[in-house]
Amino acid sequence: MTLKIHIEEGAPPYEQVRAQISEQARSGELPVGHRLPTVRGLAESLGLAANTVAKAYRALETDGVIETRGRNGTFVAAAGSAAEREAAAAAQAYAERVRRLGLDEDAALSAVRNALRAAYGG
């Protein structure tokens, strides 16, 4: 696993760690079941605070990309198909929510486009 943190970039270091691990898991560079470094070990190798890496790991676990198995360590849990299932479930929940709120399809799609632009920096 190779991660590079660019302090001069606008993205916070924890987000850079999260995004790089997520992308490497999605691409298969980090295969399902691959054991990740400990929070302290990764923090030390990147020159970051342990809390920064812990925040990234928590976000990745929430996203279903990694799983923590107690004292056994942290492992890559999701490949592309699992991430796609998670995205589909989130999209379904969103669609149900905006319908209950009374938004029409155009307004709902506009909100999604704006959110995606913000998330992907576009």
Side-chain angles (χ1 to χ4, degrees), residues 9 19 51 69 84 94 103 119:
E9 285 187 11
N51 284 341
R69 300 178 190 162
E84 289 167 7
Y94 173 76
L103 293 177

Side-chain angles (χ1 to χ4, degrees):
M1 178 173 81
T2 304
L3 302 178
K4 294 182 181 168
I5 304 303
H6 303 284
I7 300 300
E8 62 278 355
E9 285 187 11
Y14 85 90
E15 176 58 25
Q16 292 180 49
V17 171
R18 187 211 57 77
Q20 290 178 46
I21 291 174
S22 181
E23 176 56 35
Q24 289 178 26
R26 190 172 24 262
S27 72
E29 187 177 334
L30 290 176
V32 173
H34 177 81
R35 186 175 185 173
L36 296 175
T38 64
V39 167
R40 287 184 187 199
L42 184 57
E44 187 176 300
S45 71
L46 295 174
L48 297 172
N51 284 341
T52 299
V53 174
K55 186 175 181 178
Y57 274 22
R58 282 191 303 273
L60 288 162
E61 192 159 22
T62 298
D63 291 345
V65 175
I66 65 171
E67 63 183 5
T68 301
R69 300 178 190 162
R71 293 178 181 238
N72 292 323
T74 303
F75 299 83
V76 174
S81 61
E84 289 167 7
R85 284 194 304 274
E86 180 95 16
Q92 182 64 41
Y94 173 76
E96 292 169 5
R97 175 84 172 138
V98 295
R99 185 171 172 265
R100 281 195 310 272
L101 291 170
L103 293 177
D104 64 18
E105 188 175 335
D106 288 337
L109 287 172
S110 178
V112 169
R113 280 197 259 336
N114 291 336
L116 287 171
R117 275 190 217 106
Y120 287 94

